[in-house]
PDB file of all heavy atoms in Angstrom:
ATOM      1  N   PRO A   1      -3.709 -11.632  10.515  1.00 93.00           N
ATOM      2  CA  PRO A   1      -3.493 -12.381  11.799  1.00 93.00           C
ATOM      3  C   PRO A   1      -2.145 -13.065  11.814  1.00 93.00           C
ATOM      4  O   PRO A   1      -1.833 -13.819  10.932  1.00 93.00           O
ATOM      5  CB  PRO A   1      -4.632 -13.420  11.817  1.00 93.00           C
ATOM      6  CG  PRO A   1      -5.730 -12.865  10.887  1.00 93.00           C
ATOM      7  CD  PRO A   1      -4.936 -12.080   9.854  1.00 93.00           C
ATOM      8  N   GLY A   2      -1.380 -12.866  12.840  1.00 95.00           N
ATOM      9  CA  GLY A   2      -0.071 -13.486  13.052  1.00 95.00           C
ATOM     10  C   GLY A   2       1.017 -12.968  12.109  1.00 95.00           C
ATOM     11  O   GLY A   2       2.111 -13.532  12.095  1.00 95.00           O
ATOM     12  N   LYS A   3       0.747 -11.868  11.396  1.00 97.00           N
ATOM     13  CA  LYS A   3       1.778 -11.303  10.485  1.00 97.00           C
ATOM     14  C   LYS A   3       2.116  -9.836  10.805  1.00 97.00           C
ATOM     15  O   LYS A   3       1.466  -9.243  11.614  1.00 97.00           O
ATOM     16  CB  LYS A   3       1.268 -11.515   8.987  1.00 97.00           C
ATOM     17  CG  LYS A   3       1.050 -12.886   8.607  1.00 97.00           C
ATOM     18  CD  LYS A   3       0.618 -12.919   7.139  1.00 97.00           C
ATOM     19  CE  LYS A   3       0.444 -14.391   6.653  1.00 97.00           C
ATOM     20  NZ  LYS A   3       0.122 -14.522   5.222  1.00 97.00           N
ATOM     21  N   GLN A   4       3.059  -9.362  10.065  1.00 97.00           N
ATOM     22  CA  GLN A   4       3.424  -7.925  10.365  1.00 97.00           C
ATOM     23  C   GLN A   4       2.573  -7.092   9.563  1.00 97.00           C
ATOM     24  O   GLN A   4       2.010  -7.347   8.528  1.00 97.00           O
ATOM     25  CB  GLN A   4       4.963  -7.783   9.900  1.00 97.00           C
ATOM     26  CG  GLN A   4       5.943  -8.474  10.841  1.00 97.00           C
ATOM     27  CD  GLN A   4       7.404  -8.184  10.470  1.00 97.00           C
ATOM     28  OE1 GLN A   4       7.711  -7.868   9.354  1.00 97.00           O
ATOM     29  NE2 GLN A   4       8.285  -8.190  11.494  1.00 97.00           N
ATOM     30  N   ARG A   5       2.605  -5.781   9.956  1.00 97.00           N
ATOM     31  CA  ARG A   5       1.869  -4.793   9.285  1.00 97.00           C
ATOM     32  C   ARG A   5       2.487  -4.520   7.845  1.00 97.00           C
ATOM     33  O   ARG A   5       3.719  -4.456   7.807  1.00 97.00           O
ATOM     34  CB  ARG A   5       1.774  -3.460  10.057  1.00 97.00           C
ATOM     35  CG  ARG A   5       0.788  -2.425   9.604  1.00 97.00           C
ATOM     36  CD  ARG A   5       0.668  -1.277  10.641  1.00 97.00           C
ATOM     37  NE  ARG A   5       0.219  -1.699  11.859  1.00 97.00           N
ATOM     38  CZ  ARG A   5      -0.120  -0.839  12.811  1.00 97.00           C
ATOM     39  NH1 ARG A   5      -0.030   0.442  12.699  1.00 97.00           N
ATOM     40  NH2 ARG A   5      -0.478  -1.316  14.011  1.00 97.00           N
ATOM     41  N   GLU A   6       1.703  -4.283   6.873  1.00 98.00           N
ATOM     42  CA  GLU A   6       2.184  -4.079   5.511  1.00 98.00           C
ATOM     43  C   GLU A   6       1.406  -2.958   4.780  1.00 98.00           C
ATOM     44  O   GLU A   6       0.292  -2.803   5.058  1.00 98.00           O
ATOM     45  CB  GLU A   6       2.096  -5.450   4.777  1.00 98.00           C
ATOM     46  CG  GLU A   6       0.634  -5.873   4.483  1.00 98.00           C
ATOM     47  CD  GLU A   6       0.534  -7.253   3.882  1.00 98.00           C
ATOM     48  OE1 GLU A   6       1.585  -7.940   3.773  1.00 98.00           O
ATOM     49  OE2 GLU A   6      -0.604  -7.637   3.437  1.00 98.00           O
ATOM     50  N   LEU A   7       2.166  -2.359   3.853  1.00 98.00           N
ATOM     51  CA  LEU A   7       1.520  -1.296   3.122  1.00 98.00           C
ATOM     52  C   LEU A   7       0.507  -1.974   2.085  1.00 98.00           C
ATOM     53  O   LEU A   7       0.721  -2.886   1.387  1.00 98.00           O
ATOM     54  CB  LEU A   7       2.614  -0.490   2.305  1.00 98.00           C
ATOM     55  CG  LEU A   7       2.102   0.371   1.238  1.00 98.00           C
ATOM     56  CD1 LEU A   7       1.517   1.609   1.940  1.00 98.00           C
ATOM     57  CD2 LEU A   7       3.169   0.846   0.335  1.00 98.00           C
ATOM     58  N   VAL A   8      -0.611  -1.271   2.006  1.00 98.00           N
ATOM     59  CA  VAL A   8      -1.637  -1.607   1.074  1.00 98.00           C
ATOM     60  C   VAL A   8      -1.634  -0.564  -0.090  1.00 98.00           C
ATOM     61  O   VAL A   8      -1.469  -0.930  -1.250  1.00 98.00           O
ATOM     62  CB  VAL A   8      -3.039  -1.690   1.688  1.00 98.00           C
ATOM     63  CG1 VAL A   8      -4.115  -1.975   0.523  1.00 98.00           C
ATOM     64  CG2 VAL A   8      -3.097  -2.684   2.769  1.00 98.00           C
ATOM     65  N   ALA A   9      -1.728   0.707   0.253  1.00 98.00           N
ATOM     66  CA  ALA A   9      -1.781   1.745  -0.733  1.00 98.00           C
ATOM     67  C   ALA A   9      -1.469   3.010   0.023  1.00 98.00           C
ATOM     68  O   ALA A   9      -1.829   3.260   1.155  1.00 98.00           O
ATOM     69  CB  ALA A   9      -3.037   1.823  -1.518  1.00 98.00           C
ATOM     70  N   ARG A  10      -0.833   4.002  -0.744  1.00 97.00           N
ATOM     71  CA  ARG A  10      -0.667   5.360  -0.176  1.00 97.00           C
ATOM     72  C   ARG A  10      -0.834   6.332  -1.265  1.00 97.00           C
ATOM     73  O   ARG A  10      -0.765   5.946  -2.478  1.00 97.00           O
ATOM     74  CB  ARG A  10       0.683   5.507   0.591  1.00 97.00           C
ATOM     75  CG  ARG A  10       1.901   5.242  -0.332  1.00 97.00           C
ATOM     76  CD  ARG A  10       3.167   5.641   0.383  1.00 97.00           C
ATOM     77  NE  ARG A  10       4.400   5.189  -0.360  1.00 97.00           N
ATOM     78  CZ  ARG A  10       5.124   4.236   0.116  1.00 97.00           C
ATOM     79  NH1 ARG A  10       5.000   3.635   1.281  1.00 97.00           N
ATOM     80  NH2 ARG A  10       6.181   3.882  -0.565  1.00 97.00           N
ATOM     81  N   ILE A  11      -1.004   7.619  -0.929  1.00 97.00           N
ATOM     82  CA  ILE A  11      -1.252   8.617  -1.943  1.00 97.00           C
ATOM     83  C   ILE A  11      -0.735   9.858  -1.398  1.00 97.00           C
ATOM     84  O   ILE A  11      -0.800  10.277  -0.232  1.00 97.00           O
ATOM     85  CB  ILE A  11      -2.805   8.707  -2.154  1.00 97.00           C
ATOM     86  CG1 ILE A  11      -3.074   9.739  -3.365  1.00 97.00           C
ATOM     87  CG2 ILE A  11      -3.596   9.207  -0.966  1.00 97.00           C
ATOM     88  CD1 ILE A  11      -4.420   9.667  -3.859  1.00 97.00           C
ATOM     89  N   THR A  12       0.055  10.725  -2.307  1.00 94.00           N
ATOM     90  CA  THR A  12       0.567  11.827  -1.927  1.00 94.00           C
ATOM     91  C   THR A  12      -0.410  13.026  -1.871  1.00 94.00           C
ATOM     92  O   THR A  12      -1.513  12.840  -2.303  1.00 94.00           O
ATOM     93  CB  THR A  12       1.726  12.220  -2.942  1.00 94.00           C
ATOM     94  OG1 THR A  12       1.054  12.512  -4.198  1.00 94.00           O
ATOM     95  CG2 THR A  12       2.726  11.085  -3.132  1.00 94.00           C
ATOM     96  N   SER A  13      -0.007  14.096  -1.383  1.00 91.00           N
ATOM     97  CA  SER A  13      -0.857  15.260  -1.287  1.00 91.00           C
ATOM     98  C   SER A  13      -1.270  15.721  -2.684  1.00 91.00           C
ATOM     99  O   SER A  13      -2.366  16.370  -2.905  1.00 91.00           O
ATOM    100  CB  SER A  13      -0.199  16.434  -0.588  1.00 91.00           C
ATOM    101  OG  SER A  13       0.966  16.801  -1.161  1.00 91.00           O
ATOM    102  N   GLY A  14      -0.476  15.408  -3.681  1.00 93.00           N
ATOM    103  CA  GLY A  14      -0.704  15.754  -5.062  1.00 93.00           C
ATOM    104  C   GLY A  14      -1.601  14.742  -5.726  1.00 93.00           C
ATOM    105  O   GLY A  14      -1.985  14.959  -6.944  1.00 93.00           O
ATOM    106  N   GLY A  15      -1.846  13.639  -5.120  1.00 94.00           N
ATOM    107  CA  GLY A  15      -2.771  12.649  -5.664  1.00 94.00           C
ATOM    108  C   GLY A  15      -2.131  11.485  -6.384  1.00 94.00           C
ATOM    109  O   GLY A  15      -2.830  10.615  -7.054  1.00 94.00           O
ATOM    110  N   THR A  16      -0.760  11.363  -6.229  1.00 96.00           N
ATOM    111  CA  THR A  16      -0.175  10.192  -6.843  1.00 96.00           C
ATOM    112  C   THR A  16      -0.150   8.986  -6.016  1.00 96.00           C
ATOM    113  O   THR A  16       0.254   9.026  -4.814  1.00 96.00           O
ATOM    114  CB  THR A  16       1.329  10.510  -7.145  1.00 96.00           C
ATOM    115  OG1 THR A  16       1.313  11.667  -7.980  1.00 96.00           O
ATOM    116  CG2 THR A  16       1.993   9.331  -7.736  1.00 96.00           C
ATOM    117  N   PRO A  17      -0.843   7.938  -6.450  1.00 97.00           N
ATOM    118  CA  PRO A  17      -0.938   6.730  -5.721  1.00 97.00           C
ATOM    119  C   PRO A  17       0.101   5.714  -5.806  1.00 97.00           C
ATOM    120  O   PRO A  17       0.851   5.624  -6.894  1.00 97.00           O
ATOM    121  CB  PRO A  17      -2.266   5.997  -6.088  1.00 97.00           C
ATOM    122  CG  PRO A  17      -2.254   6.405  -7.643  1.00 97.00           C
ATOM    123  CD  PRO A  17      -1.580   7.743  -7.742  1.00 97.00           C
ATOM    124  N   THR A  18       0.420   4.895  -4.791  1.00 98.00           N
ATOM    125  CA  THR A  18       1.192   3.716  -4.856  1.00 98.00           C
ATOM    126  C   THR A  18       0.446   2.521  -4.283  1.00 98.00           C
ATOM    127  O   THR A  18      -0.118   2.685  -3.224  1.00 98.00           O
ATOM    128  CB  THR A  18       2.527   3.924  -4.049  1.00 98.00           C
ATOM    129  OG1 THR A  18       3.186   5.121  -4.544  1.00 98.00           O
ATOM    130  CG2 THR A  18       3.496   2.802  -4.149  1.00 98.00           C
ATOM    131  N   TYR A  19       0.640   1.456  -4.931  1.00 98.00           N
ATOM    132  CA  TYR A  19      -0.048   0.137  -4.467  1.00 98.00           C
ATOM    133  C   TYR A  19       0.880  -0.952  -4.183  1.00 98.00           C
ATOM    134  O   TYR A  19       1.865  -1.149  -4.963  1.00 98.00           O
ATOM    135  CB  TYR A  19      -1.062  -0.266  -5.502  1.00 98.00           C
ATOM    136  CG  TYR A  19      -2.266   0.697  -5.676  1.00 98.00           C
ATOM    137  CD1 TYR A  19      -2.112   1.629  -6.827  1.00 98.00           C
ATOM    138  CD2 TYR A  19      -3.338   0.744  -4.900  1.00 98.00           C
ATOM    139  CE1 TYR A  19      -3.229   2.528  -6.961  1.00 98.00           C
ATOM    140  CE2 TYR A  19      -4.299   1.623  -5.125  1.00 98.00           C
ATOM    141  CZ  TYR A  19      -4.311   2.525  -6.212  1.00 98.00           C
ATOM    142  OH  TYR A  19      -5.275   3.408  -6.435  1.00 98.00           O
ATOM    143  N   ALA A  20       0.563  -1.771  -3.197  1.00 98.00           N
ATOM    144  CA  ALA A  20       1.196  -3.065  -3.035  1.00 98.00           C
ATOM    145  C   ALA A  20       0.768  -3.957  -4.181  1.00 98.00           C
ATOM    146  O   ALA A  20      -0.326  -3.783  -4.772  1.00 98.00           O
ATOM    147  CB  ALA A  20       0.839  -3.670  -1.752  1.00 98.00           C
ATOM    148  N   ASP A  21       1.660  -4.923  -4.477  1.00 98.00           N
ATOM    149  CA  ASP A  21       1.337  -5.803  -5.689  1.00 98.00           C
ATOM    150  C   ASP A  21       0.029  -6.531  -5.334  1.00 98.00           C
ATOM    151  O   ASP A  21      -0.756  -6.796  -6.296  1.00 98.00           O
ATOM    152  CB  ASP A  21       2.471  -6.885  -5.776  1.00 98.00           C
ATOM    153  CG  ASP A  21       3.717  -6.238  -6.426  1.00 98.00           C
ATOM    154  OD1 ASP A  21       3.653  -5.159  -6.931  1.00 98.00           O
ATOM    155  OD2 ASP A  21       4.771  -6.860  -6.278  1.00 98.00           O
ATOM    156  N   SER A  22      -0.220  -6.796  -4.141  1.00 97.00           N
ATOM    157  CA  SER A  22      -1.478  -7.557  -3.821  1.00 97.00           C
ATOM    158  C   SER A  22      -2.711  -6.723  -4.009  1.00 97.00           C
ATOM    159  O   SER A  22      -3.854  -7.345  -4.080  1.00 97.00           O
ATOM    160  CB  SER A  22      -1.359  -8.120  -2.328  1.00 97.00           C
ATOM    161  OG  SER A  22      -1.180  -6.975  -1.441  1.00 97.00           O
ATOM    162  N   ALA A  23      -2.614  -5.492  -3.931  1.00 98.00           N
ATOM    163  CA  ALA A  23      -3.709  -4.544  -4.083  1.00 98.00           C
ATOM    164  C   ALA A  23      -3.940  -4.006  -5.499  1.00 98.00           C
ATOM    165  O   ALA A  23      -5.067  -3.547  -5.903  1.00 98.00           O
ATOM    166  CB  ALA A  23      -3.602  -3.381  -3.127  1.00 98.00           C
ATOM    167  N   ARG A  24      -2.841  -3.986  -6.294  1.00 97.00           N
ATOM    168  CA  ARG A  24      -2.928  -3.313  -7.599  1.00 97.00           C
ATOM    169  C   ARG A  24      -3.958  -4.007  -8.450  1.00 97.00           C
ATOM    170  O   ARG A  24      -4.006  -5.265  -8.564  1.00 97.00           O
ATOM    171  CB  ARG A  24      -1.544  -3.389  -8.249  1.00 97.00           C
ATOM    172  CG  ARG A  24      -1.470  -2.474  -9.385  1.00 97.00           C
ATOM    173  CD  ARG A  24      -0.013  -2.393 -10.027  1.00 97.00           C
ATOM    174  NE  ARG A  24       0.914  -1.868  -8.945  1.00 97.00           N
ATOM    175  CZ  ARG A  24       1.781  -2.433  -8.341  1.00 97.00           C
ATOM    176  NH1 ARG A  24       2.017  -3.679  -8.525  1.00 97.00           N
ATOM    177  NH2 ARG A  24       2.556  -1.805  -7.515  1.00 97.00           N
TER     178      ARG A  24
END
């Protein structure tokens, strides 16, 4: 609420994940 959209996690088609510090 009241903030910008931010990345949580993403994953490539090969299955490599990336996480935001808050989610790791």
Side-chain angles (χ1 to χ4, degrees):
K3 297 184 179 180
Q4 292 186 331
R5 193 172 298 188
E6 61 185 17
L7 172 70
V8 178
R10 59 173 170 245
I11 187 168
T12 67
S13 57
T16 300
T18 301
Y19 295 96
D21 289 344
S22 59
R24 192 173 296 111

